[in-house]
Amino acid sequence: MASFVQLVKINTVCFFKNYFLNFKIFSFKCDDPTDHEAKLTVCNNLASKLYKKRNDKIVVFCSLILVLVVSSCLAVTEYSGFNKPIIFGDFEAQRHWMEITINLPISKWYFYDLDYWGLDYPVLTAYHSWILGKIWVELDKSRGLEQTENLLFMRASVIVTLLLIYVPALILLINQNEGGQSKKSFLQLTQALLFPGLLFIDCSHFQYNHFSLGFFLLAVYAFDKNRLCLGSALFVLALNHKQMELYHALPIAVFLLSRSVKKVPNIFEAIVGSVWNISKLAFVVLFTFSILWAPFLVPDPSVALQVVKRIFPVYRGLFEDKVANFWCCFSIFIKFKQVYSTEKLIKMSTFLVLLTTSPALYCLFSKPNGRNFRICLVVCSLCFFLFSFQVHEKSILLASIPALLLLDDKTLGNSIGIFVSICCFSLFPLCLKDGVPEILPFFIFYYLFNAWMTKDKFKNKLV
């Protein structure tokens, strides 16, 4: 009987040992169940793993609370178009799109009253507005509505999706590179999550850029996990929410192409494998596009054509307001809009974008690893911001968000910290336009925090 009990004990210990080993909770084996020292070591290892998991949860929870507090504080400031009739601003535009999508058939969404706030973002933005617009019942009668209930709902709709999509995606990517210390992890998350540019544009100025950027970050995370098809579908969602995601399209296309090409000695096998991989990605992309665009294509293809015209408004000109790019800066010396036609400017901007992005794209294709992918995303999106056609101030977000993923890079971390701080200050003219100059202390605090975080001495101390 005693031997039977001993046998059961040994088998039970071995079962749980192998179970935990399969889930990588233990980093080594305890082959001898009678070795008490080895068993104690295993238990200590388990305890440390569980303690680290608990600390990780605390770090994430504290980060979420911090973002919630900061975004809520920004939400009580003035917004774009506050008390500025007749056309108001972006806040009214978002509300008006909700009103349009809930009261009109799909075929009229992109045709209705274009002189007021015509819908000019891709189809996923329209669906998003339709979901949120379920509370609106009257068309045209609520223009410029600034009641408390309306403000609370609109502000809450931004904060909720910010916490549900963008913040988790950024946490997943930052935690991939964290060095195992809770202090370091929390500071890195704070540095990334409290980026004032996005929080100001979405929570104060009022937009939903975090929605598309969240899908973009989830796509990057999927690519890191070698889930290329899933990442492709997620990026299509991002692109169909904001057309500005085209800034990231070239690096993603080159990255997927390089990863899809099979590098094997057998030429026939390489060709077949490469074609198969590319075909899978093409199918996923086309299938996702077809689902999103089907309601606009099936009844009348001219509706889809109108959508395309609205999301690429070349009639607005080369740039808007005081955007910190090449065209705006040099327009002081050369009046591009007066000297060149719109068609000529489109060709010039396209050529400059392709020329400046080519070196980074070539490097990415040659060595498609995660670090090069992130660097290429920053470089290419910055080239788009500097040289592309029809650039807005908020387009700098497309370069700064992927840059946040490089804040802990040993070589580029210091430069990236300075870069994202400069990105914030490039948005300050928009802050003045919205009547919220009090955002400047937040920008300054973030700059000082970055300067503190990027000190080599401090980083070495944490590692």
Side-chain angles (χ1 to χ4, degrees), residues 104-144:
L104 297 175
I106 289 180
S107 59
K108 295 183 179 180
W109 285 0
Y110 286 86
F111 289 91
Y112 185 78
D113 201 357
L114 302 182
D115 291 332
Y116 184 60
W117 278 112
L119 191 54
D120 57 0
Y121 280 112
V123 296
L124 191 57
T125 291
Y127 298 144
H128 182 207
S129 299
W130 177 78
I131 293 172
L132 295 177
K134 286 293 185 180
I135 67 167
W136 306 112
V137 292
E138 293 183 297
L139 186 64
D140 296 335
K141 295 183 179 180
S142 56
R143 290 190 175 184

Side-chain angles (χ1 to χ4, degrees), residues 336-346 348 389:
F336 293 106
K337 297 179 182 180
Q338 299 175 8
V339 176
Y340 302 102
S341 64
T342 300
E343 293 76 12
K344 187 74 172 179
L345 289 173
I346 292 175
M348 291 169 59
F389 191 88

Side-chain angles (χ1 to χ4, degrees), residues 216-231:
F216 159 70
L217 292 174
L218 288 173
V220 173
Y221 183 74
F223 294 146
D224 286 347
K225 300 300 181 182
N226 206 31
R227 303 290 297 275
L228 302 185
C229 290
L230 175 61

Side-chain angles (χ1 to χ4, degrees), residues 272-300:
V272 172
S274 301
V275 171
W276 171 246
N277 290 336
I278 295 173
S279 299
K280 286 192 298 182
L281 294 176
F283 173 78
V284 169
V285 170
L286 293 175
F287 181 73
T288 309
F289 263 106
S290 62
I291 291 177
L292 294 173
W293 283 74
F296 298 90
L297 285 167
V298 174
D300 184 3

Side-chain angles (χ1 to χ4, degrees), residues 241-417:
H241 191 268
K242 295 281 187 181
Q243 63 268 41
M244 294 185 301
E245 280 298 325
L246 284 171
Y247 284 33
H248 300 142
L250 285 178
I252 288 178
V254 170
F255 179 79
L256 292 176
L257 179 62
S258 182
R259 283 289 185 91
S260 299
V261 174
K262 290 188 71 69
K263 301 174 177 64
V264 293
N266 190 312
I267 298 178
F268 178 77
E269 183 180 347
I271 293 175
V272 172
S274 301
V275 171
W276 171 246
N277 290 336
I278 295 173
S279 299
K280 286 192 298 182
L281 294 176
F283 173 78
V284 169
V285 170
L286 293 175
F287 181 73
T288 309
F289 263 106
S290 62
I291 291 177
L292 294 173
W293 283 74
F296 298 90
L297 285 167
V298 174
D300 184 3
S302 64
V303 177
L305 183 61
Q306 173 69 3
V307 177
V308 175
K309 290 180 180 178
R310 291 295 299 164
I311 63 179
F312 294 109
V314 295
Y315 60 87
R316 290 185 181 177
L318 192 57
F319 57 87
E320 290 188 16
D321 298 327
K322 296 179 176 62
V323 59
N325 76 344
F326 170 82
W327 303 111
C328 184
C329 293
F330 281 87
S331 64
I332 300 173
F333 310 103
I334 304 174
K335 303 300 179 183
F336 293 106
K337 297 179 182 180
Q338 299 175 8
V339 176
Y340 302 102
S341 64
T342 300
E343 293 76 12
K344 187 74 172 179
L345 289 173
I346 292 175
K347 292 178 181 179
M348 291 169 59
S349 60
T350 303
F351 172 76
L352 286 175
V353 168
L354 294 177
L355 179 67
T356 52
T357 57
S358 296
L361 293 173
Y362 174 77
C363 293
L364 177 62
F365 185 81
S366 302
K367 191 177 291 186
N369 56 46
R371 183 174 182 270
N372 287 348
F373 180 44
R374 285 158 170 74
I375 293 173
C376 191
L377 284 169
V378 176
V379 171
C380 291
S381 53
L382 190 57
C383 291
F384 268 90
F385 177 78
L386 291 174
F387 301 110
S388 65
F389 191 88
Q390 227 299 298
V391 177
H392 191 275
E393 295 104 321
K394 65 177 181 290
S395 301
I396 193 62
L397 297 178
L398 279 298
S400 54
I401 297 303
L404 296 176
L405 306 180
L406 292 167
L407 282 170
D408 64 337
D409 189 88
K410 293 181 179 179
T411 305
L412 300 174
N414 292 351
S415 302
I416 292 296

